Amino acid sequence: MSATTPSTAAVIAYLRELHDRITTAIETVDGTGRFRRDRWERAEGGGGESRVLTGGTVFEQAGIGFSHVTGNRLPPSATQQRPDLAGAGFVATGISLVFHPRNPYVPTTHANVRFFMAEKPGVEPAWWFGGGFDLTPYYPFDEDVLHWHQTAAAACAAFGTDVYPRYKDWCDRYFYLKHRNETRGVGGLFFDDLNEWGFERSFEFQRSVGDHFLEAYLPIVARRRDTAYGDAERDFQLYRRGRYVEFNLVYDRGTLFGLQSGGRTESILMSLPPLVRWRYDWHPEPGSPEARLYEDYLRPRNWLEELS
């Protein structure tokens, strides 16, 4: 395999292994919950397997899906940044996960790693990697945020000193709710259209991001899973989950790609929380733990420098 020759089979093999590894880890951490596994096929080509855990001890809902789909024409969400590929056929494969814990002190998290290849007559095939992971706490702790970003930086360290700052900044900009003027959480990593390093190096980076996810998330779960909480904290968690819904349905490129490409709706929308609440013109009490989230965390910050 040369540095410039993409191997979809190698990517798929890694993604399937990662799918299984994360599934096993989450079932082990939860203790009682087990993933329901649904294999599906797509009429236009390809398919996947969705795994959803509901009603667990730690996770109220956890979804992780693998997909490998093909099509004759890229949907608009995929060609927005690459108009030259309009009308191209495509192969897309990836895993995507969102975990909604029961305890408000355990953050929600999202991760995704994916690979696209587009082909059009008379044009050189185009391919790229994308993905990342981000954290959405309701009651944040500095040590958790620092650990999350230290692990994100470690995932990038072997690829250049500029990689973590660049993809951390991209995450801050991508997971930003413009209509709320706030970030969705405390960020992490986000990258897309990655092919500049050649296939092997780019694939190595995707694996590093995928492999660091559990290292970033599970220690936080272990620290916060048994924290006592009451109705007030639960109510705030449900309210803040509304922001998650707003982002996924308004801005998320993966959601738009899945829906526009005729993907399986149940699998695409399994990222949404099982319970959520909206309130009209609600604001936290000044000086409260809820206000601290807004004042100190829902904006881009240099977490490594400020919290170390």
Side-chain angles (χ1 to χ4, degrees), residues 38-262:
D38 291 330
R39 293 185 178 180
W40 50 273
E41 294 183 357
R42 180 172 171 273
E44 292 84 353
E49 182 177 318
S50 300
R51 300 176 182 175
V52 179
L53 182 156
T54 57
T57 300
V58 175
F59 296 98
E60 189 169 12
Q61 181 167 296
I64 175 170
F66 165 81
S67 63
H68 170 218
V69 301
T70 62
N72 295 322
R73 180 180 293 270
L74 279 165
S77 62
T79 59
Q80 185 176 9
Q81 308 297 325
R82 296 287 301 273
D84 56 305
L85 295 177
F90 69 92
V91 175
T93 186
I95 67 167
S96 182
L97 65 85
V98 176
F99 300 154
H100 293 289
R102 188 178 299 279
N103 191 315
Y105 288 96
V106 181
T108 288
T109 191
H110 157 263
N112 173 269
V113 281
R114 58 189 179 272
F115 175 73
F116 284 85
M117 187 161 63
E119 297 183 90
K120 188 176 182 179
V123 180
E124 187 74 16
W127 59 266
W128 61 92
F129 289 94
F133 49 67
D134 63 283
L135 194 71
T136 304
Y138 308 99
Y139 292 92
F141 295 83
D142 285 356
E143 65 176 314
D144 296 346
V145 177
L146 180 59
H147 166 78
W148 181 260
H149 280 275
Q150 285 174 333
T151 310
C156 301
F159 300 88
T161 57
D162 66 321
V163 175
Y164 165 74
R166 180 154 47 107
Y167 292 158
K168 184 267 184 192
D169 177 68
W170 198 344
C171 187
D172 289 337
R173 288 183 284 109
Y174 181 77
F175 292 105
Y176 191 82
L177 286 85
K178 302 177 184 65
H179 62 286
R180 298 286 190 179
N181 195 31
E182 63 188 39
T183 56
R184 188 171 77 174
V186 297
L189 299 173
F190 181 85
F191 67 99
D192 207 357
D193 305 316
L194 176 64
N195 58 19
E196 63 197 70
W197 298 331
F199 177 79
E200 288 189 15
R201 187 66 167 163
S202 300
F203 184 25
E204 183 182 351
F205 179 72
Q206 186 201 54
R207 296 197 304 272
S208 183
V209 172
D211 293 345
H212 277 81
F213 169 73
L214 290 174
E215 295 179 30
Y217 187 57
L218 293 188
I220 298 172
V221 176
R223 282 197 290 264
R224 309 303 167 196
R225 58 180 293 170
D226 297 322
T227 304
Y229 66 92
D231 292 342
E233 291 82 8
R234 174 65 167 167
D235 188 67
F236 183 63
Q237 178 195 45
L238 299 186
Y239 173 74
R240 287 299 308 176
R241 281 178 176 177
R243 300 293 205 268
Y244 219 89
V245 175
E246 290 174 21
F247 181 87
N248 277 26
L249 296 183
V250 176
Y251 299 115
D252 187 70
R253 285 173 61 181
T255 301
L256 293 175
F257 175 85
L259 296 175
Q260 291 175 356
S261 63

